[in-house]
């Protein structure tokens, strides 16, 4: 039997063993040869194993074998692995590291990219797919990687681009640039960090779109929390709410106003969207992506809102702002997954409506006692409606009166748009209780044979 090239194989196998539980990796298609060189094994290693005890599949493009050159058999080997992953309803982790297509293959190499795109597309929404950019990922490979649910880059190692940097500028393709553009959800400090992050996602994401995830934890569902709604960091709040403080944040380098990620709360795995600041294009785009991802796999979404409203700037209007907000509206209104929203502080104008309000599909909506929900800010409202009263009362008094009478959480609850007004310390346990109640939420209206008539 032919002997594997231990030098390059060992490097790829070490990566795979970093992804899977120790001793569980099993290779698939180990002896597949390249079509253009019968002495060379195909430059991708595929297989399966366990991640935190659950089945997962992975492939690593092996730059040590013919620089990871991509061709027809390369694509077929990955497609064969994908077929097993989909049949078994298990996630896929991919490590991209290839110098590109086999140039001599011509149309066959281009078609191979197309077949891989279709393979990834056909699996999308059925099983989670996580891409790690372990080296060079350019041209069509970058397109394929971007089709995955989550993309992870590695500082000082990833090269992620469509057009080669030497043709358009050296910044393009660098991991920091990719993360800042939203191409990468997480920019790892090194390879070990990238694989650890991928594992953390596999542990909290469902195995497939028919699965639900409940994470083992000793954290109490009834734990009260301590934070100041007037002065807090969104990421710290997400960690306080999450079981054992474990929160896998994504798109941190892309948007400052939205804190997004995955966690478990009361053992139930969920996505978290925390808007703190203006609902600008980047925040809207990232929130829509996370809500859509969660809905694809039936994961609940917890939305936390503290926003003074929309981005008032020509920059926003010049960048199809309405279309981006429409994408966010579609994400919430078209999703069937469980959705819980809590207004932490401000919720002015469209930021209240768009960010998971009951009107766009939230199952439960809460507000903290001092939350302010209004079409305009109290300052703008007084200037617009009550400006003539200034003099009879000070502007500050009028603004406080507006907030109490026209923009309070109690007023929103009275209108039926908030289910309950709660104390800040109760936020976690109320969300946990809601997630438990919504655990069996049906998608759409349950079917029935007929109504049950009286005797």
């Amino acid at each position: 039997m032919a002997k594997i090239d231990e030098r390059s194989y060992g490097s790829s196998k070490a990566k795979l063993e970093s992804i899977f539980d120790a001793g569980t990796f099993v290779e698939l298609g180990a002896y597949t040869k390249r079509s253009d060189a019968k002495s060379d094994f195909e430059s991708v290693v595929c297989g399966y194993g366990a991640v935190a005890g659950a089945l997962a599949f992975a492939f690593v493009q092996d730059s040590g074998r013919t620089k990871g050159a991509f061709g027809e058999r390369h694509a077929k080997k990955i497609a064969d692995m994908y077929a097993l992953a989909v049949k078994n309803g298990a996630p896929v982790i991919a490590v991209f590291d290839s110098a590109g297509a086999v140039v001599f293959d011509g149309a066959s190499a281009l078609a191979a990219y197309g077949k891989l795109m279709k393979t990834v597309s056909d699996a999308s929404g059925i099983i989670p797919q996580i891409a790690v950019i372990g080296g060079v990922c350019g041209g069509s490979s970058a397109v394929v990687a971007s089709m995955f649910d989550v993309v992870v880059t590695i500082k000082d190692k990833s090269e992620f681009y469509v057009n080669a940097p030497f043709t358009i500028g050296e910044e393009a393709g660098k991991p920091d640039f990719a993360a800042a553009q939203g191409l990468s959800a997480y920019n790892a400090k090194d390879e070990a960090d990238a694989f650890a992050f991928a594992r953390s996602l596999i542990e909290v994401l469902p195995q497939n779109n028919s699965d639900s995830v409940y994470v083992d934890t000793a954290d109490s569902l009834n734990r009260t929390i301590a934070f100041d709604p007037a002065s807090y960091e969104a990421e710290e709040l997400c960690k306080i709410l999450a079981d054992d403080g474990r929160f896998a944040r994504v798109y941190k380098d892309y948007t400052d106003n939205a804190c997004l990620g995955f966690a478990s709360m009361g053992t139930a795995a969920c996505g978290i969207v925390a808007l703190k600041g203006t609902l600008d294009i980047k925040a809207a785009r990232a929130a829509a992506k996370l809500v859509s991802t969660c809905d694809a796999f039936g994961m609940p979404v917890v939305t936390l809102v503290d926003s003074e409203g929309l981005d008032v700037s020509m920059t926003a209007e010049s960048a199809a702002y309405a279309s981006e907000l429409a994408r966010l509206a579609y994400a919430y209104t078209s999703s069937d997954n469980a959705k819980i929203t809590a207004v932490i502080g401000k919720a002015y104008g469209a930021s209240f409506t768009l960010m998971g309000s009951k009107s766009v599909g939230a199952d439960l909506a809460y507000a903290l006692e001092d939350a302010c929900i209004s079409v305009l800010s109290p300052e703008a409202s007084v200037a617009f409606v009550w400006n003539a009263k200034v003099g009879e009362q000070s502007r500050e008094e009028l603004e406080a009166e507006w907030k109490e009478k026209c923009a309070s959480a109690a007023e929103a609850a009275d209108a039926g748009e908030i289910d309950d007004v709660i104390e800040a310390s109760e936020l976690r346990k109320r969300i946990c209780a809601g997630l438990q109640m919504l655990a069996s939420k049906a998608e759409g209206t349950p079917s029935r044979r007929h109504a049950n008539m009286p005797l």
Side-chain angles (χ1 to χ4, degrees), residues 89-366:
V92 168
I93 299 173
V95 181
F96 287 85
D97 187 4
S98 170
V102 179
V103 179
F104 295 111
D105 284 359
S108 294
L110 299 176
Y113 276 120
K115 290 173 183 175
L116 181 54
M117 290 174 191
K118 189 173 190 307
T119 296
V120 174
S121 177
D122 288 346
S124 183
I126 299 175
I127 56 173
Q129 301 176 80
I130 300 170
V132 177
I133 312 303
V136 178
C137 182
S140 293
S141 285
V143 176
V144 174
S146 296
M147 295 172 70
F148 279 56
D149 299 304
V150 179
V151 177
V152 179
T153 47
I154 303 172
K155 287 181 179 292
D156 302 322
K157 187 167 187 179
S158 300
E159 297 179 46
F160 190 32
Y161 53 81
V162 173
N163 295 296
F166 70 84
T167 65
I168 58 173
E170 290 303 316
E171 281 301 307
K174 291 184 178 180
D176 291 350
F177 180 83
Q181 301 306 311
L183 297 171
S184 165
Y186 181 76
N187 196 15
K189 61 183 180 181
D190 53 32
E191 194 172 77
D193 183 34
F195 294 151
F197 185 77
R199 280 180 58 91
S200 72
L201 290 180
I202 293 296
E203 290 173 12
V204 76
L205 290 172
Q207 286 281 97
N208 53 67
N209 61 1
S210 299
D211 188 29
S212 297
V213 177
Y214 292 92
V215 179
D216 290 335
T217 177
D219 207 340
S220 171
L221 276 72
N222 294 316
R223 171 169 62 85
T224 57
I225 64 173
F227 82 101
D228 182 2
S231 177
Y232 69 95
E233 293 293 331
E235 183 170 0
E236 288 306 308
L237 176 57
C238 292
K239 290 178 179 178
I240 290 169
L241 293 172
D243 292 338
D244 305 313
R246 293 179 296 181
F247 173 62
R249 185 172 182 180
V250 293
Y251 300 111
K252 181 176 182 177
D253 297 322
Y254 177 62
T255 171
D256 295 325
N257 295 350
C259 180
L260 310 105
F262 301 94
S264 68
M265 295 178 65
T267 74
C270 61
I272 301 177
V273 178
L275 177 67
K276 191 173 189 296
T278 302
L279 180 56
D280 60 8
I281 284 178
K282 289 186 175 182
R285 188 178 290 159
K289 168 65 175 176
L290 188 130
V291 172
S292 179
T293 299
C294 289
D295 183 51
F297 299 108
M299 290 184 76
V301 170
V302 174
T303 305
L304 309 173
V305 185
D306 189 354
S307 172
E308 60 269 23
L310 303 183
D311 182 1
V312 183
S313 70
M314 182 54 73
T315 301
E317 292 298 333
S318 301
Y321 193 22
S323 294
E324 292 297 341
L325 296 177
R327 287 160 60 91
L328 178 60
Y330 271 118
Y332 275 107
T333 58
S334 65
S335 57
D336 294 317
N337 54 335
K339 294 181 283 292
I340 298 175
T341 298
V343 179
I344 305 301
K346 304 170 185 175
Y348 298 157
S351 65
F352 171 74
T353 307
L354 289 167
M355 292 303 298
S357 66
K358 294 191 74 174
S359 60
V360 296
D363 299 289
L364 295 171
Y366 301 114

